[in-house]
Amino acid sequence: MDMTSSITPVRIGKTRITDPLFGAYVDMVAEKVIPYQWEALNDRIPGVEKGYCIENFRVAAGLQPGHHQGAIFQDTDLYKWLEAVAFCIEYGAGEKFVPIADEVIALMEKAQEPDGYLNTYFTIECPEKKWTNLTEGHELYGCGHLIEAAVAYYNATGKDKLLNIACRFADLVDRTFGAEDGKCHGYPGHQEIELALVKLYKVTGEKRYLNLANYFIRQRGTKPNYLLEEMKGRKGRNVFPEFAEYDDLYAQTHEKPVEQTTAVGHAVRAVYMYTAMADLARELDDQEMLRACQTLYDNITTRRMYITGGIGSSGKLERFTTDYDLPNDRMYCESCASVGLMMFSQRMGNFLEDARFYDTVERALCNTVLGGISKDADRYFYVNPLEVWPDNCLPSTSMSHVKPVRQGWFSCACCPPNIARTLASLGQYIYAQSDDSVYVNMFISSKLDTQVGDKTLGLDMQADYMNGGDVTIRVTAPENAGLTLKVRIPWYLENPMVNGEKAVTHRGYVTVPVNCDTQVVISGSVKAKFVAANRNVRADVGKVALMKGPYVYCLEQVDNGCNLASLFVSPEASISEAAPEESLPGNLPTLLVSGERLVETIATHDLYGNPAFRMERVTLKAIPYPLWCNREPGEMMVWLHARV
Amino acid sequence: MDMTSSITPVRIGKTRITDPLFGAYVDMVAEKVIPYQWEALNDRIPGVEKGYCIENFRVAAGLQPGHHQGAIFQDTDLYKWLEAVAFCIEYGAGEKFVPIADEVIALMEKAQEPDGYLNTYFTIECPEKKWTNLTEGHELYGCGHLIEAAVAYYNATGKDKLLNIACRFADLVDRTFGAEDGKCHGYPGHQEIELALVKLYKVTGEKRYLNLANYFIRQRGTKPNYLLEEMKGRKGRNVFPEFAEYDDLYAQTHEKPVEQTTAVGHAVRAVYMYTAMADLARELDDQEMLRACQTLYDNITTRRMYITGGIGSSGKLERFTTDYDLPNDRMYCESCASVGLMMFSQRMGNFLEDARFYDTVERALCNTVLGGISKDADRYFYVNPLEVWPDNCLPSTSMSHVKPVRQGWFSCACCPPNIARTLASLGQYIYAQSDDSVYVNMFISSKLDTQVGDKTLGLDMQADYMNGGDVTIRVTAPENAGLTLKVRIPWYLENPMVNGEKAVTHRGYVTVPVNCDTQVVISGSVKAKFVAANRNVRADVGKVALMKGPYVYCLEQVDNGCNLASLFVSPEASISEAAPEESLPGNLPTLLVSGERLVETIATHDLYGNPAFRMERVTLKAIPYPLWCNREPGEMMVWLHARV
């Protein structure tokens, strides 16, 4: 296997998303999401529970008296916001945020302690308890998001004040943690800093940061278990009530990460860690680490992932469960977990120059991640079910975590900024580049203008495959520059042709030399079709889902009436495509299929009785899953009963 | 409607259960369950978490130093045990327990405070906090179980020491609570004392107890909400972490009970309250209360009850959810809740002289309650799912409350003694009597020898209907005594005949005059058949269950292989009956039905793919649901995919 891949994502600033669907969302990040979230960080949104994020920094900076309020990890709301701001600036849509960002960065600098420590909770409330509760304290998690924001802001603006803040904190962490005698042999309760440290290494060239990330991964899972020992010392006095059920699987400390073979525990923590592991495997040429990544990736994508790219089958503690356990209504499928799955898959694809990893990037992006945000970019899902019956999403029940409609903001606001930063940096998932090639990983209409080595390459992709058209990529490059375009031919493209010839792929990519003005037309058929699940997925036995291209489709009550569970289709039924639903963004077609409604099961109004099944023919209407709950709230369903 | 019914359950001591299935369980209560539970109360069972029940009484009695340990309501383990002991004594199988019971009753007397107060937790730990935490403190709940035990022990032995202890505590409660100025206007957090006070009234004739029960029911749900106000005063310092999610629906305080129309909140609390309401409706001739009972009963049995008689659709907080929400794997369906449903239904049936309420008594008894105990009477289910996939019953997940095998004992040991007391007093559910009639409510082989007015009636029922035979009831009574037998003709008996003539029923009962030696033969056909659920039960759409008589049948992995979800049947398939499974108790037949196994859904080993459904013919084997998990542990399923 070629381990010397030099593929990197393109710089966001070099991209412009023109796709009617994604472009609209990306534009809204700068227009609506960032300003809204800034107001939320400052507790200025009426009716939204206060988070005290900026206020905590002001208290920690000594600018006002008071206590820390809000979540122990509330600082990260600001960091994620800053990262999204940086992406918007780099994308060319965020210049107006620079003064606000600079001001808040100055505030952060004031809140930072002289040794580099930065965490408003511990600084304000209990400085003596720093690093004593790694399980729940989230200090290293916060440092990670600080680093990510700093790297992004430096990349976007060239300004280094935030980067220096991050480096000072990272240096403190490096002085505090490590295998050496006298250092703390702990590691993060919530992984995140590991992948951030790799980014910091790349932007600063400082190898200590890479080694620190590697230490955290390699130390994890060693015996005695640092986090369990730490909890024993606290004797159950937990910050978070749910940690009463803490176990070593939850935080992936049950085994050394390189020895782990199944995706377990809290889904977000898991995929953040795997992302760092993929980074480390590449940077350190660590074959053992790579094998673990491949095994974990395979376990997720062949056993533990929803058709929507959602992960985390347990609603309780937001965690993985067991192979093929994919219940459709009560799971978690957190938006953040799918963002993490995108990151992990992107790292693997770029490292191994294998387009097939982008199947997962695309699946998660086009379904769970995009579905996490409303069409007006003002409401969000944390939990992304594949089946919703609003009546039973009751508080204080097994279903209380499932919200039948997107929510305005959350006191634990991880998902909204995570979706925002992903959309704001979408170009990095669409395109990648190496010394002599540009990689087109997803067919999302967009433009790119980048340097490949010392050559400038311009690209304009018009992707009409969802509406019966082709994907046309116009490339401009210097004459005889020896550049190639590598285009991922996705699994759903039938009879793929490139410029009229049968596409021949290597690891999922077709290679096209480009010269001056080159037009690459990818054609083929992208049929709407039924998909079934592996027979071991008990929740989906005897059911089919509708897909077209990377998009999962779903039925909504507004189109199909209530009790969607009573609808049946034949897997052989023909599926027709209709015009896009007018009130929904983008131009993805609507699907129509002839099916049946079970209008009678028993002859009485009793609860149970003699079977008396009676069907009525109906036409079912399906819309893309990411667009559900943008009209009237109601039932929604992805997997339909099949008449097998 | 005739509100002057004088129907009462028969005295347990007058019955003898001879049924091969139930008789075996009833006998084991005295032989195994009671001795085992006594060891558990004394913390003498190796490997079982200590409960400190007896030890707490010793500390409270001043016989040994120490603190209270175990649950705040641990005392009730002893009370429920005593009640079961009393039933065994009355049944004629528990004489050997009398000395032990008398000794522990003497200990209880020592632990009782001079004013009558008896609760080891508050006496030992915080006497100043008595009655300050009605929401969680369970003092009134404990008093209720004390009263029930005392009434049963008095009935069984004629000894009044325990009854006097109970009366002293009840008198204190009566002096403490009430509508009068100067009294506490609260009511129980966990209902139970209400139904117990009615029992105490009946055995003592003291109307104060009846009025106190009525006060508790009538005060509940008034505004301001006593329990919510009380919690506000504690500012979230809860004894039980789950009370962080406490709401007024949970404890049925959201409305006045007489105005409640849907069964909500904690299922056990709900049915205990409804039982008391039915008692009060009858004793006080309260039409408003009766209407509420009827409405709540209808809501449960036509909208919120599993086919097994289980109730409580939410695994979290063990509560009701909403109409038709009956998920099969993640629910609670606590054994205790089905015991409570039996009590409520029995009260309604006897009050209204309507045999149809016994459909529910029987459904709950024959399925969930009997299924809650292992064939050797040493292991128990709290949670009674209709579908189990052991792999996904993982700790710290949405499914952690579901145990794939019965457990030995529980630190919160409510279900085992509740099942024990129900089985030990089974005769009261089979038979009832009025001034001139004996009612046969369930076909469970047994004998009865009772006084009806001043006449002696003997009865011997041989019920072979589950094995193709008749139900033969031989009655002996004085000549021309004017007595009648009223026999419930259950819904599953097709073409019912009584002594060769078509059965004519009134409110579900057929009336047969008895004279000297009368033989009543009830014949008809009891076919194994498929049952479907109301189409609004989303979890069961397109599925059927197997039933024969009152017994729900289920498939187990040991008979049918793994992945039971992949099995399909046609609702028209013929069902054949086979010999009882040898290793299982009783002689209920096994059912065989021709079905299909979905052996392929997609052509690959991927997670998702093009549908490629392939079926193989198989013979499915079903056993009675109450007997599941008595052989090899594994998957279990009640509702099967139907090829509709």
Side-chain angles (χ1 to χ4, degrees):
Chain A
M1 191 180 292
D2 175 14
M3 293 281 291
T4 58
S5 157
S6 64
I7 305 174
T8 57
V10 299
R11 294 290 297 268
I12 303 156
K14 305 294 185 182
T15 62
R16 168 67 41 194
I17 314 300
T18 58
D19 183 81
L21 178 62
F22 281 98
Y25 282 94
V26 170
D27 290 345
M28 282 190 291
V29 174
E31 287 165 19
K32 300 179 67 170
V33 178
I34 299 280
Y36 178 90
Q37 293 186 353
W38 177 246
E39 295 304 298
L41 293 175
N42 284 279
D43 299 318
R44 292 193 291 245
I45 299 184
V48 170
E49 201 185 336
K50 292 175 89 172
Y52 305 97
C53 183
I54 299 297
E55 195 173 324
N56 288 333
F57 278 96
R58 292 183 53 80
V59 174
L63 300 177
Q64 68 178 68
H67 278 280
H68 181 278
Q69 294 179 87
I72 196 172
F73 50 84
Q74 203 80 45
D75 295 356
T76 59
D77 285 6
L78 174 59
Y79 304 155
K80 290 182 205 168
W81 178 82
L82 272 172
E83 190 185 11
V85 163
F87 289 147
C88 286
I89 294 169
E90 188 177 349
Y91 185 71
E95 197 58 34
K96 61 187 169 188
F97 303 123
V98 173
I100 306 172
D102 284 342
E103 195 179 322
V104 83
I105 289 165
L107 174 63
M108 289 164 64
E109 195 173 40
K110 288 203 184 82
Q112 188 168 36
E113 299 191 21
D115 66 356
Y117 189 86
L118 181 52
N119 179 301
T120 66
Y121 174 78
F122 286 94
T123 295
I124 297 170
E125 294 299 321
C126 44
E128 75 286 0
K129 290 194 179 161
K130 289 172 188 169
W131 314 125
T132 62
N133 186 350
L134 299 181
T135 308
E136 306 173 278
H138 282 44
E139 291 154 289
L140 294 168
Y141 172 80
C143 182
H145 275 300
L146 169 63
I147 292 170
E148 284 205 274
V151 169
Y153 200 71
Y154 176 76
N155 283 338
T157 65
K159 298 181 180 187
D160 63 2
K161 182 179 272 194
L162 187 57
L163 190 66
N164 290 334
I165 292 171
C167 285
R168 283 197 296 273
F169 197 8
D171 291 341
L172 173 66
V173 172
D174 186 45
R175 291 195 302 276
T176 306
F177 292 88
E180 299 89 341
D181 285 349
K183 285 187 173 181
C184 172
H185 300 328
Y187 44 81
H190 190 317
Q191 303 95 311
E192 147 66 20
I193 193 174
E194 300 89 338
L195 73 89
L197 284 167
V198 177
K199 286 187 176 182
L200 191 60
Y201 154 69
K202 285 190 187 169
V203 81
T204 64
E206 179 56 72
K207 193 111 197 251
R208 278 188 298 117
Y209 301 137
L210 184 67
N211 292 339
L212 181 58
N214 194 47
Y215 159 77
F216 280 141
I217 296 291
R218 287 282 172 180
Q219 180 66 10
R220 199 172 201 90
T222 57
K223 303 285 183 269
N225 186 305
Y226 186 89
L227 298 182
L228 292 183
E229 295 295 315
E230 188 194 73
M231 289 191 84
K232 271 189 221 162
R234 270 199 308 288
K235 293 184 182 152
R237 292 189 303 281
N238 300 326
V239 176
F240 301 116
E242 65 264 34
F243 271 80
E245 298 209 45
Y246 182 93
D247 58 74
D248 56 355
L249 291 163
Y250 174 77
Q252 299 86 29
T253 66
H254 58 299
E255 287 173 343
K256 295 180 184 173
V258 293
E259 293 170 359
Q260 296 182 18
T261 56
T262 56
V264 298
H266 189 272
V268 174
R269 296 166 195 230
V271 285
Y272 281 9
M273 180 173 81
Y274 307 156
T275 302
M277 288 167 68
D279 283 337
L280 289 166
R282 176 170 174 168
E283 298 300 331
L284 297 171
D285 193 12
D286 187 334
Q287 291 288 335
E288 184 188 30
M289 193 82 83
L290 176 61
R291 274 194 302 275
C293 289
Q294 183 71 58
T295 302
L296 290 163
Y297 178 88
D298 291 345
N299 179 248
I300 292 175
T301 56
T302 68
R303 308 284 175 100
R304 297 180 180 217
M305 180 184 72
Y306 286 86
I307 193 171
T308 54
I311 48 174
S313 297
S314 173
K316 187 171 176 179
L317 294 173
E318 312 162 18
R319 62 197 286 170
F320 286 106
T321 57
T322 191
D323 286 352
Y324 302 117
D325 180 36
L326 297 162
N328 289 305
D329 59 350
R330 67 165 182 261
M331 84 289 257
Y332 212 78
C333 279
E334 185 175 346
S335 304
C336 289
S338 288
V339 168
L341 183 60
M342 285 178 65
M343 299 184 332
F344 175 40
S345 306
Q346 175 204 38
R347 302 296 202 278
M348 293 294 284
N350 289 355
F351 181 19
L352 300 177
E353 197 186 358
D354 192 333
R356 291 164 294 192
F357 290 97
Y358 277 91
D359 294 352
T360 304
V361 174
E362 187 177 49
R363 188 186 287 275
L365 171 68
C366 292
N367 296 291
T368 297
V369 176
L370 198 61
I373 183 168
S374 69
K375 71 182 171 74
D376 298 320
D378 56 354
R379 304 186 82 81
Y380 303 88
F381 282 127
Y382 251 57
V383 171
N384 294 276
L386 278 75
E387 186 175 320
V388 167
W389 179 22
D391 285 0
N392 87 340
C393 297
L394 299 170
S396 300
T397 68
S398 303
M399 296 298 289
S400 50
H401 61 292
V402 180
K403 307 299 176 201
V405 296
R406 293 180 186 84
Q407 308 287 302
W409 191 254
F410 302 85
S411 55
C412 170
C414 58
C415 295
N418 225 341
I419 296 172
R421 69 170 180 159
T422 303
L423 292 172
S425 66
L426 193 61
Q428 66 161 313
Y429 295 101
I430 303 175
Y431 299 106
Q433 64 179 70
S434 66
D435 298 339
D436 58 3
S437 300
V438 164
Y439 294 80
V440 178
N441 288 312
M442 289 187 287
F443 296 152
I444 295 175
S445 296
S446 52
K447 295 179 184 183
L448 172 70
D449 188 5
T450 188
Q451 289 295 112
V452 183
D454 57 355
K455 289 132 194 156
T456 300
L457 183 145
L459 183 157
D460 187 348
M461 170 163 60
Q462 180 66 35
D464 297 323
Y465 71 99
M466 281 295 289
N467 300 87
D470 298 330
V471 177
T472 304
I473 305 171
R474 288 166 221 276
V475 186
T476 54
E479 200 168 341
N480 298 322
L483 300 180
T484 60
L485 196 65
K486 302 215 174 186
V487 182
R488 167 176 166 261
I489 303 299
W491 59 273
Y492 47 80
L493 195 65
E494 294 177 35
N495 303 315
M497 311 279 279
V498 176
N499 288 341
E501 291 184 20
K502 191 168 184 299
V504 179
T505 59
H506 177 61
R507 294 206 287 257
Y509 288 114
V510 64
T511 302
V512 186
V514 293
N515 202 4
C516 303
D517 293 329
T518 306
Q519 177 163 298
V520 183
V521 177
I522 298 99
S523 53
S525 116
V526 180
K527 289 191 192 126
K529 58 182 184 174
F530 290 111
V531 177
N534 186 295
R535 64 179 287 276
N536 293 305
V537 181
R538 282 143 176 85
D540 298 337
V541 167
K543 293 182 176 178
V544 288
L546 279 163
M547 287 192 81
K548 180 178 163 68
Y551 296 94
V552 174
Y553 275 65
C554 68
L555 270 57
E556 283 197 284
Q557 182 174 341
V558 62
D559 298 315
N560 300 283
C562 71
N563 197 354
L564 299 177
S566 67
L567 299 173
F568 286 71
V569 291
S570 160
E572 281 86 39
S574 67
I575 306 162
S576 62
E577 301 189 16
E581 189 64 23
E582 265 188 28
S583 61
L584 297 177
N587 61 354
L588 299 177
T590 301
L591 302 182
L592 301 174
V593 60
S594 175
E596 286 165 288
R597 182 187 301 278
L598 190 57
V599 291
E600 195 174 291
T601 54
I602 56 177
T604 67
H605 292 288
D606 292 340
L607 200 41
Y608 306 105
N610 294 324
F613 294 114
R614 191 164 62 81
M615 295 281 201
E616 274 182 10
R617 294 216 68 81
V618 286
T619 298
L620 308 180
K621 178 175 168 182
I623 63 151
Y625 173 81
L627 303 179
W628 84 277
C629 200
N630 274 310
R631 296 173 294 166
E632 282 175 39
E635 293 183 40
M636 183 277 293
M637 182 165 284
V638 168
W639 289 99
L640 306 172
H641 286 294
R643 301 203 71 169
V644 293
Chain B
M1 190 182 295
D2 174 14
M3 293 280 292
T4 57
S5 157
S6 63
I7 305 175
T8 57
V10 299
R11 294 291 295 269
I12 303 156
K14 307 293 185 184
T15 61
R16 168 66 41 193
I17 314 299
T18 57
D19 183 80
L21 179 62
F22 281 98
Y25 282 94
V26 170
D27 290 345
M28 281 190 292
V29 173
E31 286 165 19
K32 299 178 68 170
V33 178
I34 299 282
Y36 179 91
Q37 292 186 355
W38 177 247
E39 295 304 298
L41 294 175
N42 285 280
D43 299 317
R44 290 193 292 243
I45 299 183
V48 169
E49 202 186 336
K50 291 175 90 172
Y52 305 96
C53 183
I54 299 297
E55 195 173 324
N56 288 333
F57 277 96
R58 292 183 52 79
V59 174
L63 301 178
Q64 69 177 68
H67 278 281
H68 181 277
Q69 293 178 86
I72 196 171
F73 49 84
Q74 203 79 46
D75 295 355
T76 58
D77 286 5
L78 174 59
Y79 304 156
K80 291 181 205 168
W81 178 83
L82 271 172
E83 190 185 9
V85 164
F87 290 147
C88 286
I89 294 169
E90 187 175 351
Y91 185 69
E95 197 57 35
K96 62 187 170 188
F97 303 123
V98 173
I100 306 172
D102 284 342
E103 193 180 323
V104 83
I105 289 166
L107 173 64
M108 289 164 63
E109 194 173 43
K110 287 203 185 80
Q112 188 169 36
E113 298 191 21
D115 66 355
Y117 188 86
L118 181 52
N119 179 301
T120 66
Y121 174 79
F122 285 94
T123 295
I124 298 171
E125 294 300 321
C126 45
E128 75 285 1
K129 290 193 178 162
K130 289 172 189 171
W131 314 124
T132 62
N133 187 349
L134 298 182
T135 308
E136 307 173 277
H138 282 45
E139 291 155 290
L140 293 170
Y141 171 80
C143 182
H145 275 300
L146 169 63
I147 292 170
E148 284 206 274
V151 169
Y153 201 71
Y154 175 76
N155 282 339
T157 64
K159 297 183 181 187
D160 63 2
K161 182 179 272 196
L162 187 58
L163 189 67
N164 290 335
I165 293 171
C167 285
R168 283 198 295 273
F169 197 8
D171 292 341
L172 173 66
V173 172
D174 186 46
R175 292 195 302 276
T176 306
F177 292 88
E180 298 88 342
D181 284 350
K183 286 188 173 181
C184 172
H185 300 326
Y187 44 80
H190 191 316
Q191 303 95 312
E192 146 67 19
I193 192 173
E194 300 89 339
L195 74 90
L197 284 166
V198 177
K199 286 188 177 182
L200 191 61
Y201 154 69
K202 286 190 188 170
V203 80
T204 63
E206 178 55 73
K207 192 110 197 252
R208 278 188 298 117
Y209 301 137
L210 184 68
N211 292 339
L212 181 57
N214 194 46
Y215 160 77
F216 280 141
I217 296 292
R218 288 281 173 181
Q219 178 67 8
R220 199 172 200 87
T222 58
K223 303 284 182 272
N225 186 304
Y226 186 90
L227 298 183
L228 292 182
E229 294 296 315
E230 186 194 73
M231 290 193 83
K232 271 189 220 162
R234 271 197 310 286
K235 292 183 181 158
R237 290 189 305 279
N238 300 327
V239 176
F240 301 116
E242 65 263 34
F243 272 78
E245 298 208 45
Y246 182 93
D247 58 73
D248 56 354
L249 291 163
Y250 174 77
Q252 298 89 28
T253 66
H254 59 299
E255 288 174 342
K256 294 180 185 174
V258 292
E259 292 170 1
Q260 295 183 19
T261 55
T262 56
V264 298
H266 189 272
V268 175
R269 295 165 196 230
V271 285
Y272 281 10
M273 180 173 81
Y274 307 155
T275 302
M277 288 168 67
D279 283 337
L280 288 166
R282 177 170 174 169
E283 298 300 331
L284 297 171
D285 192 12
D286 186 334
Q287 291 288 337
E288 184 188 32
M289 193 82 83
L290 175 61
R291 274 194 301 275
C293 289
Q294 183 72 57
T295 303
L296 291 163
Y297 178 87
D298 290 346
N299 179 249
I300 292 176
T301 56
T302 68
R303 307 287 175 98
R304 299 181 178 215
M305 179 184 72
Y306 286 86
I307 192 172
T308 54
I311 49 174
S313 297
S314 173
K316 187 171 176 178
L317 294 173
E318 314 162 18
R319 63 198 282 171
F320 285 106
T321 57
T322 190
D323 286 351
Y324 302 116
D325 179 35
L326 296 163
N328 289 304
D329 58 351
R330 67 161 181 264
M331 84 288 258
Y332 213 78
C333 279
E334 185 174 346
S335 303
C336 290
S338 287
V339 168
L341 183 60
M342 284 178 65
M343 298 183 333
F344 175 39
S345 307
Q346 176 205 36
R347 301 298 201 278
M348 292 295 283
N350 288 355
F351 181 19
L352 300 177
E353 195 184 3
D354 191 334
R356 291 164 294 192
F357 290 97
Y358 277 92
D359 294 352
T360 304
V361 173
E362 187 177 50
R363 189 186 285 277
L365 171 68
C366 291
N367 297 291
T368 297
V369 176
L370 198 60
I373 184 169
S374 68
K375 72 181 169 74
D376 298 319
D378 56 354
R379 305 186 82 81
Y380 303 87
F381 282 126
Y382 250 58
V383 172
N384 294 277
L386 279 74
E387 185 175 321
V388 167
W389 179 21
D391 285 0
N392 87 341
C393 297
L394 298 171
S396 300
T397 69
S398 303
M399 296 299 288
S400 50
H401 61 292
V402 180
K403 307 301 176 200
V405 295
R406 294 181 185 83
Q407 308 287 300
W409 190 254
F410 301 85
S411 56
C412 170
C414 57
C415 295
N418 226 340
I419 296 172
R421 69 170 180 159
T422 304
L423 292 172
S425 66
L426 193 60
Q428 66 162 310
Y429 295 102
I430 302 174
Y431 298 107
Q433 64 179 72
S434 66
D435 297 340
D436 56 4
S437 300
V438 164
Y439 294 79
V440 178
N441 289 311
M442 290 187 286
F443 296 151
I444 295 175
S445 296
S446 51
K447 296 180 183 183
L448 172 69
D449 187 6
T450 189
Q451 288 295 112
V452 182
D454 56 356
K455 289 129 193 158
T456 300
L457 183 145
L459 183 157
D460 187 347
M461 169 161 61
Q462 180 66 34
D464 297 325
Y465 70 99
M466 282 293 290
N467 299 89
D470 298 330
V471 176
T472 304
I473 304 171
R474 287 168 222 274
V475 184
T476 54
E479 198 167 344
N480 298 322
L483 300 180
T484 60
L485 197 64
K486 302 214 174 188
V487 183
R488 167 177 166 260
I489 302 299
W491 59 274
Y492 46 79
L493 194 65
E494 294 178 36
N495 304 314
M497 311 280 278
V498 175
N499 287 341
E501 290 185 20
K502 192 168 183 300
V504 179
T505 60
H506 178 62
R507 292 205 289 258
Y509 288 113
V510 65
T511 301
V512 185
V514 292
N515 202 3
C516 301
D517 292 330
T518 306
Q519 177 163 296
V520 182
V521 178
I522 297 100
S523 52
S525 122
V526 180
K527 290 191 191 128
K529 58 182 184 174
F530 289 110
V531 176
N534 186 296
R535 65 179 287 276
N536 294 305
V537 181
R538 283 143 176 86
D540 297 337
V541 167
K543 293 183 177 178
V544 289
L546 278 163
M547 287 192 81
K548 180 177 164 68
Y551 296 95
V552 174
Y553 274 66
C554 69
L555 269 58
E556 284 197 285
Q557 183 174 339
V558 62
D559 297 316
N560 300 284
C562 71
N563 198 353
L564 299 176
S566 68
L567 299 173
F568 286 70
V569 289
S570 160
E572 281 88 39
S574 68
I575 306 162
S576 62
E577 301 189 15
E581 189 65 23
E582 267 189 26
S583 61
L584 297 177
N587 60 356
L588 299 177
T590 301
L591 301 182
L592 301 174
V593 59
S594 175
E596 286 164 288
R597 181 187 301 278
L598 190 57
V599 291
E600 195 174 288
T601 54
I602 56 177
T604 67
H605 293 289
D606 293 339
L607 200 43
Y608 306 105
N610 294 324
F613 293 113
R614 192 164 63 80
M615 296 280 200
E616 275 181 10
R617 294 214 70 82
V618 286
T619 298
L620 307 179
K621 176 175 169 181
I623 63 151
Y625 173 82
L627 303 179
W628 83 277
C629 202
N630 273 311
R631 296 172 297 166
E632 282 175 40
E635 293 183 40
M636 183 278 292
M637 181 165 285
V638 167
W639 288 100
L640 306 172
H641 286 294
R643 301 202 72 170
V644 292

